[in-house]
Amino acid sequence: MAAAMSVSAVVPPAAAVARARTLLCVPATARAPREMAAEVAAAAALGADLAELRLDRLAGFAPRRDLPALLAKPRTLPALVTYRPKWEGGEYEGEDEPRFEALQLAMELGAEYVDIELKVADKFIKFMSGKKPETCKLIVSSHNYENTPSAEELGKLLAQIQATGADIVKIATTATEIVDVSRMFQILVHCQVPIIGLVMNDRGFISRVLCPKFGGYLTFGSLEKGKESAPAQPTVADLINVYNIRQIGPDTKVFGIIGKPVGHSKSPILHNEAFRSVGLNAVYVPFLVDDLAKFLHTYSSPDFAGFSCTIPHKEDAVRCCDEVDPIARDIGAVNTIIRKPNGNLVGYNTDYVGAISAIEDGIRATQSTRSTTSPLAGRLFVVIGAGGAGKALAYGAKEKGARVVIANRTFARAQELGNLIGGPALTLAELENYHPEEGMILANTTAIGMHPNTNDTPLSKQALKSYAVVFDAVYTPKETRLLREAAECGATVVSGLEMFIRQAEGQFEHFMGMPAVDGKFRALATSLDNPSTMKGNGRAAAKPRL
Ligand code: NAP
């Protein structure tokens, strides 16, 4: 059965409750034994529970010379010894026998875990002929670098590994879409022996963070970016500090941002910290989603409690929700989805309040007199873009009494949105010479200028001279080229970071049914934007908790 199975049916919390805490393992992948030992020490300092010694990575590895030093006691961390052959994704190219001898020596020297591949597990166990020390656990592993098999096939694989007499089962597969991970969660929940179940690559990322919820024996976190032993492996610091992995358990509610791409989003850092600050048993993860309807159908358990929506799913989200807030329906874009107790998905839009209030406050800050009417009333408001954010800005500006004009790369979409809100449409070329009056407001709602393309800008500096106020929805970087040049032209500028903070506060309120702690999101977002106040992911590394 190739179809993804709904996670709604696979999360009996009691099944996972009995499991021990999921361990955090850092792969040590250095080329020299001394450096590998230093990596283990660094992993311990970061709070890992064990280190995987990847013997196949060592250049000129001599087991009798190098292993006694690597496994000398006292050690900072328990050791998982892996000597992965090339045919299973590792670097060892020799015969099995010398490899088996090295693994046997590691056991004799007190390695707490040894990993052997399923294909040769029986052969290895025969080779050991009952001499495995009691204290050493044998992990029998299977790696699939192409896809994630069907639930039935995964079940058969599990039974096959169990039949070898493995102490711990390890199954690593590859996600071609995020729904593949649900099958691995099912296997984790139903497995009767300790199991490591991970799904590799960006679309499988959630398997690495959420495995404690489903009872996974361990998850891997790299020492630092660039030292991953598998695609899309998070750093151990991110697992501990951003995702609060130590707190994740069967009852943890899951929230996250659905997008494609989604890796750039700062939302996980913000929302996880906000959850932590009010002591909520919840985690917020990035969901790299290709097909929104399929994703929502698959992860339909009440435990998947709420979602942020970003590019390119905001409009599709309107169709995928069971109920849509009237304003979000009018806008035609949903950026927040919550699951009601009856299972219904309800869509909201917090972008428009976030963006419009940010622009209003930006203008008011330059005015000496206070007025109750919106500073947008009567102004000519030009929106570049006709996607989810463009619709929210256009709708919000119109609500405030502005005269809205839409400019978009795809002119037909500009016309469509223009018709919806009763405003004219322009091509991007026409916008270059558009100057019907003074004091216009400009809002960029395209991704132009977003990191890494920070030298791009949606409008020339010459054309910017016609605007009194310029807003950019892009918030990475905070000061885009558009805003820098607009400021140089004398315009009041409003950063997308302001919108980001305010829409996130709105989302938190929907997710939790309570207001965000005053100033919390602002302080966090500001620290994210200012690398000098950050360490790692904006938080100092956690103390080891062994
Ligand atoms: P979307 O629904 O996919 O819409 C993207 C819009 O940008 C479309 O109008 C598209 O034009 C246009 N566009 C994309 N690439 C372009 C290019 N190279 N040249 C010209 N136009 C281009 O995305 P969205 O959700 O509205 O998000 C748009 C941007 O706003 C993103 O950068 C997002 O990060 C940002 N945003 C920021 C916040 C915040 O809190 N600050 C919140 C929401 C969104 P076509 O119609 O021709 O495809």
Side-chain angles (χ1 to χ4, degrees):
M1 187 192 71
M5 210 173 265
S6 164
V7 170
S8 64
V10 301
V11 196
V17 159
R19 307 271 176 91
R21 182 183 86 159
T22 299
L23 301 174
L24 209 43
C25 181
V26 170
T29 56
R31 294 286 177 198
R34 194 184 289 265
E35 286 166 29
M36 191 173 270
E39 287 181 337
V40 175
L46 285 170
D49 297 309
L50 69 157
E52 181 184 33
L53 308 181
R54 284 294 300 262
L55 304 183
D56 52 303
R57 295 273 304 169
L58 289 169
F61 171 54
R64 299 226 163 257
R65 180 195 65 200
D66 298 331
L67 275 178
L70 278 169
L71 293 169
K73 287 188 173 166
R75 275 185 267 125
T76 46
L77 286 178
L80 188 179
V81 176
T82 301
Y83 202 0
R84 189 78 72 224
K86 200 147 192 165
W87 48 260
E88 187 84 0
E91 297 190 19
Y92 177 80
E93 292 191 84
E95 296 298 317
D96 280 339
E97 185 120 339
R99 196 164 70 87
F100 289 177
E101 280 168 7
L103 292 174
Q104 183 178 27
L105 179 61
M107 284 183 176
E108 287 163 9
L109 289 168
E112 284 78 0
Y113 303 88
V114 160
D115 178 309
I116 191 74
E117 303 73 28
L118 172 63
K119 276 183 205 153
V120 293
D122 287 338
K123 194 172 156 194
F124 178 66
I125 290 164
K126 212 162 148 196
F127 174 88
M128 292 289 302
S129 59
K131 282 183 284 183
K132 180 173 87 67
E134 279 287 301
T135 49
C136 184
K137 290 191 167 63
L138 185 66
I139 301 174
V140 176
S141 60
S142 161
H143 299 80
N144 179 333
Y145 293 96
E146 280 169 16
N147 56 32
T148 300
S150 68
E152 274 89 347
E153 283 166 9
L154 280 177
K156 277 187 206 157
L157 180 61
L158 172 63
Q160 217 183 329
I161 296 178
Q162 275 187 260
T164 64
D167 296 308
I168 299 169
V169 171
K170 179 183 175 193
I171 300 178
T173 61
T174 298
T176 55
E177 49 182 344
I178 193 167
V179 294
D180 292 345
V181 184
S182 70
R183 301 197 292 283
M184 189 61 81
F185 288 156
Q186 280 186 296
I187 291 287
L188 289 184
V189 167
H190 290 116
C191 184
Q192 299 300 313
V193 296
I195 177 168
I196 303 164
L198 297 168
V199 186
M200 295 178 281
N201 96 16
D202 289 352
R203 286 167 173 78
F205 180 83
I206 59 170
S207 70
R208 299 182 177 278
V209 178
L210 299 182
C211 56
K213 180 173 174 63
F214 299 100
Y217 186 81
L218 69 74
T219 189
F220 294 91
S222 71
L223 200 53
E224 58 193 59
K225 278 200 168 32
K227 289 205 164 182
E228 300 83 11
S229 62
Q233 196 174 73
T235 63
V236 67
D238 278 358
L239 286 171
I240 296 173
N241 300 328
V242 175
Y243 296 105
N244 305 321
I245 195 155
R246 298 298 194 197
Q247 271 63 53
I248 299 176
D251 298 331
T252 301
K253 292 279 180 205
V254 180
F255 296 84
I257 178 158
I258 298 170
K260 183 186 169 184
V262 75
H264 69 282
S265 174
K266 306 263 191 252
S267 293
I269 302 176
L270 246 64
H271 282 281
N272 280 315
E273 186 60 35
F275 292 165
R276 188 196 325 243
S277 72
V278 288
L280 289 164
N281 184 9
V283 62
Y284 187 102
V285 291
F287 295 113
L288 179 53
V289 171
D290 301 284
D291 182 332
L292 181 63
K294 196 169 173 187
F295 169 83
L296 292 171
H297 178 70
T298 302
Y299 294 96
S300 58
S301 145
D303 281 5
F304 287 79
F307 310 100
S308 309
C309 259
T310 189
I311 325 170
H313 297 304
K314 286 181 183 176
E315 293 159 63
D316 221 14
V318 178
R319 291 181 283 279
C320 290
C321 286
D322 303 296
E323 301 166 36
V324 179
D325 173 71
I327 293 173
R329 189 170 291 288
D330 281 352
I331 293 170
V334 156
N335 79 327
T336 310
I337 301 174
I338 60 155
R339 192 184 303 282
K340 288 210 308 197
N342 68 1
N344 273 4
L345 295 173
V346 191
Y348 298 92
N349 189 305
T350 66
D351 279 342
Y352 92 102
V353 179
I356 294 296
S357 69
I359 298 170
E360 286 181 323
D361 288 351
I363 298 172
R364 285 193 180 111
T366 66
Q367 294 173 338
S368 51
T369 53
R370 283 276 172 267
S371 160
T372 48
T373 46
S374 168
L376 305 186
R379 306 277 290 264
L380 195 61
F381 193 106
V382 178
V383 177
I384 312 180
K391 285 177 172 168
L393 266 289
Y395 174 91
K398 171 117 192 285
E399 280 291 297
K400 297 290 181 178
R403 292 168 290 132
V404 181
V405 176
I406 311 294
N408 192 45
R409 176 178 62 181
T410 308
F411 183 60
R413 289 187 84 197
Q415 281 180 310
E416 202 181 309
L417 180 54
N419 289 340
L420 209 69
I421 53 149
L426 300 174
T427 63
L428 292 183
E430 285 169 336
L431 188 63
E432 276 297 320
N433 300 307
Y434 187 70
H435 185 188
E437 63 188 59
E438 299 301 317
M440 297 192 295
I441 300 170
L442 180 73
N444 172 46
T445 70
T446 73
I448 300 172
M450 185 165 95
H451 183 80
N453 304 314
T454 51
N455 208 30
D456 294 352
T457 188
L459 203 58
S460 73
K461 190 170 178 182
Q462 179 59 29
L464 281 177
K465 290 180 180 153
S466 310
Y467 294 89
V469 180
V470 175
F471 164 80
D472 198 342
V474 173
Y475 66 94
T476 49
K478 180 182 175 191
E479 190 191 62
T480 56
R481 179 176 163 191
L482 175 73
L483 292 188
R484 192 177 68 246
E485 292 184 345
E488 286 164 6
C489 293
T492 297
V493 296
V494 180
S495 163
L497 196 64
E498 263 312 310
M499 171 183 179
F500 179 64
I501 293 166
R502 294 168 190 230
Q503 62 80 31
E505 287 172 341
Q507 290 191 327
F508 184 90
E509 289 193 32
H510 284 302
F511 290 157
M512 297 299 157
M514 64 163 94
V517 177
D518 204 18
K520 184 80 199 169
F521 279 91
R522 181 168 305 282
L524 281 166
T526 310
S527 74
L528 286 177
D529 191 58
N530 180 3
S532 66
T533 63
M534 290 165 58
K535 192 172 174 193
N537 292 291
R539 306 186 61 235
K543 286 213 165 64
R545 307 169 42 147
L546 295 171

